Amino acid sequence: MHQLIDGERRLGRSIETLTVREPATGDVLERVDVASLGDIDDAVAGANEAAGELERLTFFERAELLHSAAGRIDASAGEHAEQLARESGKPLAAEAADELAESAEIFRLAAEEIKRLETHVLPSVDPHKRVFTHRKPNGVYALITPWNFPMNIPAELLAAALAAGNPAVIKPSENAPLSALALADAVAEAGFPPGSVSVVMGRGDIGQALVSHPGVHGVGFVGSQTTAEAIVAAAGMKRTIIEASGNGPQIVFDDADLPAAADAAVFGAHFVSGQCCVATERLLVHRSVHDEMVDRVVDRTERVALGDPLDDATLMGPLNNETVAARMDAHVADAQALGGRVLCGGERRADQPTDLYYELTVIDNVTPVMDVFLDETFGPVIPITSFDTDDEAFALANASDLGLQASVFTSSLARAYRAIDELRSGTVLVNEGTAFWEQHPPFGGASRTGTGWGRIGGKYTILDMTDLRTAIIDTGERA
């Protein structure tokens, strides 16, 4: 499959190809061209040529094009939802179809937000001066996107970039690049200036070459903390939006609605097979309700159907790749060696077409020295840790260098506000699980953590992708 460079599908200059396999079956889904450095040069040059024309479009003209792109995503949703399910491993009916609908809605939201972009008129000490602010595009963006939401995350970054007037070059994950290419095709066909969007394929070296390219002015990245550090080092002084990993705690106090808390914990662990930055990475439970909570979690876990992503009955598909599966193996083994008790799952299911079907796993007696507590597992696991006091609960929740989303279940308004104030997390949810997400609120890491900076969601990404400037006019009027 060819790349999209400067508005056209074309064969890459490199003779290398990447093989995209279905996690569910191991079958070859597609072979895609790997970009060369020359391909990157062409994509970036095309983006810079498009930049002026894109910036000159009015906000309302850009909005019309964004709506057109959304319509094209909707028109091909059935075909591309199945492709997304096949390349990612996520269930078609339960997850992939929704991702297509949400991706289209993200473009509609960006279209409406850019029409409402506000700046300010400011007072001046000089009565002859008029002061106001305005926003300009930051320039060409490199968008480095992961495989767990192969269309949604590129959409979040690309829609905001185009709304703000920035051309973009996408480097999707080599594990699931096809959905990003389909998204870019829809955008190119919507009528944006040629070069406004390109897609280059490859592994990490291609991403690094793109990020460090002198013709790139901004970087949007969603992925692991390790990769984020490499990207920040390569980006230098470029404008960046970095969303890099989570280790989401869900705290369940003794006054919690336990059925709702159990539902949220299990959903957050099996959604995208746990391969989600807002998964239920740590379940912290007050000791007085521990036994009842564990029983409820185990009961719900046993109802989650693991199987073929194309089967409507499937709620959880295979893991996307062996790297994630191996980390699950290592974290489960480490927890068991240090005294953790596996109550459900704990291994790969042997009766499946590939070795990537991992059972939804519940581990009790988890302590803060275990890898499954300390690190983002990024797999279908619910590690359970008990606590006795509120102070202990908040300390355990903050015992991580990651801070994306945290959840608290309580009927106490005082506890809820304390959680909002004290948890080092970009978002704190009260009586809702860590996996809750909507398209328009600001989403990203907390300061003093390693999760990154900038915000994804609605107008907030547009604000990060524009340059706030000030204009001062002397009217020349004198007495």
Side-chain angles (χ1 to χ4, degrees):
M1 179 173 284
H2 298 343
Q3 302 173 92
L4 179 68
I5 297 179
D6 196 12
E8 297 181 351
R9 283 289 198 101
R10 76 180 203 194
L11 181 67
R13 296 182 189 177
S14 170
I15 61 172
E16 186 182 359
T17 60
L18 283 171
T19 300
V20 182
R21 293 186 181 273
E22 295 187 45
T25 64
D27 294 341
V28 174
L29 182 59
E30 191 65 74
R31 288 186 172 88
V32 300
D33 299 335
V34 172
S36 67
L37 294 180
D39 294 324
I40 294 173
D41 286 340
D42 290 349
V44 173
N48 276 283
E49 288 177 10
E53 186 177 353
L54 186 57
E55 181 178 355
R56 284 190 292 274
L57 293 175
T58 68
F59 288 1
F60 285 80
E61 288 172 328
R62 289 183 214 154
E64 184 177 353
L65 293 173
L66 290 163
H67 277 297
S68 177
R72 291 175 182 275
I73 296 168
D74 279 337
S76 58
E79 171 192 353
H80 289 140
E82 182 171 333
Q83 175 181 271
L84 190 153
R86 289 185 182 278
E87 72 172 336
S88 68
K90 62 176 57 180
L92 173 59
E95 296 178 12
D98 286 345
E99 182 163 342
L100 265 292
E102 289 169 355
S103 296
E105 186 60 25
I106 285 167
F107 273 80
R108 294 190 181 95
L109 179 61
E112 296 308 306
E113 291 290 4
I114 194 62
K115 289 191 289 188
R116 294 192 291 267
L117 187 65
E118 297 178 347
T119 55
H120 297 94
V121 176
L122 304 173
S124 172
V125 295
D126 184 340
H128 306 292
K129 298 290 192 297
R130 301 295 180 267
V131 181
F132 65 91
T133 62
H134 60 117
R135 288 187 173 272
K136 302 285 280 183
N138 283 338
V140 173
Y141 265 83
L143 307 180
I144 312 298
T145 62
W147 46 261
N148 56 336
F149 292 91
M151 182 172 279
N152 220 328
I153 291 175
E156 289 174 327
L157 295 170
L158 180 60
L162 294 172
N166 304 298
V169 181
I170 305 171
K171 205 297 283 184
S173 167
E174 62 271 25
N175 291 314
L178 306 180
S179 294
L181 189 57
L183 176 74
D185 281 338
V187 170
E189 293 165 4
F192 281 93
S196 295
V197 59
S198 292
V199 179
V200 293
M201 310 288 197
R203 300 180 180 85
D205 58 328
I206 298 302
Q208 184 172 20
L210 178 61
V211 166
S212 59
H213 196 287
V216 167
H217 312 106
V219 177
F221 169 78
V222 178
S224 73
Q225 185 185 33
T226 301
T227 304
E229 290 175 348
I231 284 177
V232 171
M237 293 293 289
K238 295 177 171 69
R239 303 288 176 93
T240 56
I241 298 174
I242 303 293
E243 195 271 275
S245 298
N247 194 9
Q250 178 182 319
I251 303 174
V252 181
F253 286 104
D254 54 355
D255 59 351
D257 179 339
L258 296 186
D263 286 343
V266 175
F267 176 78
H270 80 70
F271 181 60
V272 201
S273 301
Q275 301 164 122
C276 183
C277 56
V278 294
T280 312
E281 289 283 349
R282 295 174 293 153
L283 183 59
L284 312 177
V285 182
H286 192 277
R287 200 173 305 276
S288 68
V289 296
H290 168 273
D291 292 351
E292 182 181 352
M293 184 66 183
V294 168
D295 287 344
R296 291 182 181 279
V297 167
V298 169
D299 175 66
R300 285 157 175 75
T301 296
E302 292 174 343
R303 300 183 210 167
V304 176
L306 171 65
D308 179 359
L310 302 185
D311 186 334
D312 287 352
T314 296
L315 291 179
M316 190 173 89
L319 298 175
N320 179 264
N321 57 75
E322 177 58 28
T323 299
V324 178
R327 184 163 59 240
M328 273 290 297
D329 287 336
H331 281 197
V332 171
D334 174 77
Q336 288 180 302
L338 294 174
R341 291 192 303 119
V342 174
L343 305 181
C344 294
E347 59 187 4
R348 310 185 195 208
R349 185 166 291 177
D351 59 350
Q352 299 298 319
T354 72
D355 201 26
L356 297 175
Y357 289 81
Y358 217 105
E359 295 175 343
L360 183 54
T361 299
V362 179
I363 308 177
D364 198 12
N365 293 346
V366 170
T367 63
V369 300
M370 297 176 185
D371 291 341
V372 75
F373 184 98
L374 292 169
D375 301 329
E376 181 186 43
T377 303
F378 218 65
V381 61
I382 306 173
I384 302 175
T385 302
S386 298
F387 65 86
D388 293 299
T389 68
D390 289 15
D391 288 345
E392 184 183 5
F394 292 125
L396 286 167
N398 285 333
S400 171
D401 66 342
L402 301 175
L404 188 55
Q405 292 208 150
S407 163
V408 175
F409 279 79
T410 180
S411 59
S412 165
L413 193 59
R415 276 175 169 161
Y417 273 105
R418 182 179 176 189
I420 292 167
D421 286 340
E422 295 188 15
L423 292 179
R424 287 196 299 272
S425 183
T427 302
V428 175
L429 299 112
V430 178
N431 296 329
E432 180 57 80
T434 60
F436 180 82
W437 174 83
E438 289 187 277
Q439 296 155 342
H440 61 286
F443 175 84
S447 60
R448 294 183 290 159
T449 73
T451 294
W453 48 83
R455 289 295 180 264
I456 293 172
K459 70 177 181 181
Y460 301 96
T461 320
I462 295 173
L463 293 175
D464 276 345
M465 287 184 160
T466 50
D467 195 33
L468 182 64
R469 300 187 186 180
T470 302
I472 303 174
I473 301 174
D474 190 306
T475 63
E477 299 174 357
R478 297 293 186 273

